[in-house]
Amino acid sequence: MALLAAAGLGAGTVNAIAGGGSLITFPALIAVGLAPVPANVTNSVAVSPGYVGSVVGSRADLPRERVRALVPVAVLGGLAGCVLLLATPQRAFEVVVPFLVLGAAAVLAFQDRLRRLVGHPRHMAPRRHAVALYALTAVGGVYGGYFGAALGVMLVAGLALLLDEPLARINALKNVLSAVIGLATVVAYAAFGPVDWVGVAVIAPATLLGGYAGSRLARRLPGGVLKAVIVTAGTVVGLVLLWRAY
């Protein structure tokens, strides 16, 4: 219980600042005796309250018009990801996940150069911009519902490329999308997944506290420092997942 509580506190903090907190809680659940699939499902349910704490902590920076537009897409994507996890072998996606995470970290690291190639958000046609934003949110929802590790890194990387907003506002939007994707996984896995509810009861309150603390810290970090933290976290998570998969 002490191990799971400490893992939950750390995961909530890391998810609010950068993403990748599941890399802490998922191994902890494996360490206390759960098989990989129940550990993955239990982890998805348990870390969800941490995202709620992140939203509360970063609510002052929320771009509310974006939230209203993107939340339904995130929910549908999250539910689709849950269906994929419960209906298909996990091995195939585990092979792809490390490259998605590393790619997201690279996109954020080279954001300015990529913008020169694809165009600055303010110069994109409104229809193209809307389609790209909805597609990014849908893909993030599917990924979050299926596995979810470093979901925050992937969302921040894509949103920073498409939105002409300060990174603090993009991070706040990421927190909301992560929270609603997490809520979708809670509903789906609670009804149909092999959830270990004792593990959830220990981890969930800790992630809530960690998420609030992490989001408050993220608001105080300069944009350049926040970007460096997110890129570093994404690279570490991606490399660890790559090592595990291969």
Side-chain angles (χ1 to χ4, degrees):
M1 291 180 68
L3 172 64
L4 294 181
L9 184 64
T13 303
V14 169
N15 279 338
I17 297 175
S22 290
L23 195 63
I24 302 173
T25 48
F26 181 71
L29 288 164
I30 294 289
V32 299
L34 292 186
V37 171
N40 190 21
V41 171
T42 301
N43 175 70
S44 296
V45 175
V47 300
S48 299
Y51 293 125
V52 177
S54 302
V55 172
V56 174
S58 60
R59 64 189 182 278
D61 293 316
L62 278 178
R64 288 173 172 76
E65 66 286 353
R66 303 284 188 192
V67 171
R68 288 191 292 269
L70 297 179
V71 160
V73 180
V75 171
L76 292 176
L79 291 174
C82 294
V83 172
L84 281 176
L85 177 63
L86 297 175
T88 62
Q90 187 169 323
R91 174 60 184 167
F93 199 75
E94 285 180 347
V95 172
V96 178
V97 163
F99 298 101
L100 295 177
V101 176
L102 290 171
V107 167
L108 187 59
F110 300 102
Q111 172 190 339
D112 294 333
R113 295 183 183 179
L114 288 172
R115 275 185 171 177
R116 288 196 289 269
L117 293 176
V118 302
H120 196 279
R122 71 170 68 99
H123 299 145
M124 294 176 68
R127 182 180 180 84
R128 178 189 172 195
H129 184 265
V131 170
L133 198 54
Y134 286 131
L136 167 71
T137 304
V139 171
V142 172
Y143 175 81
Y146 195 102
F147 187 69
L151 171 62
V153 177
M154 298 178 69
L155 287 175
V156 168
L159 292 171
L161 196 61
L162 293 174
L163 298 179
D164 187 20
E165 300 274 4
L167 197 56
R169 285 173 62 83
I170 290 173
N171 199 54
L173 178 58
K174 175 267 293 182
N175 289 338
V176 172
L177 296 179
S178 297
V180 298
I181 292 168
L183 178 60
T185 64
V186 167
V187 173
Y189 291 151
F192 304 108
V195 179
D196 185 293
W197 291 105
V198 175
V200 171
V202 176
I203 294 174
T207 65
L208 184 63
L209 293 175
Y212 181 79
S215 64
R216 302 298 291 180
L217 176 60
R219 290 194 67 208
R220 290 171 169 77
L221 291 176
V225 175
L226 182 58
K227 178 186 287 189
V229 171
I230 295 173
V231 170
T232 302
T235 302
V236 171
V237 170
L239 291 174
V240 172
L241 291 174
L242 185 65
W243 177 78
R244 284 183 180 171
Y246 294 93

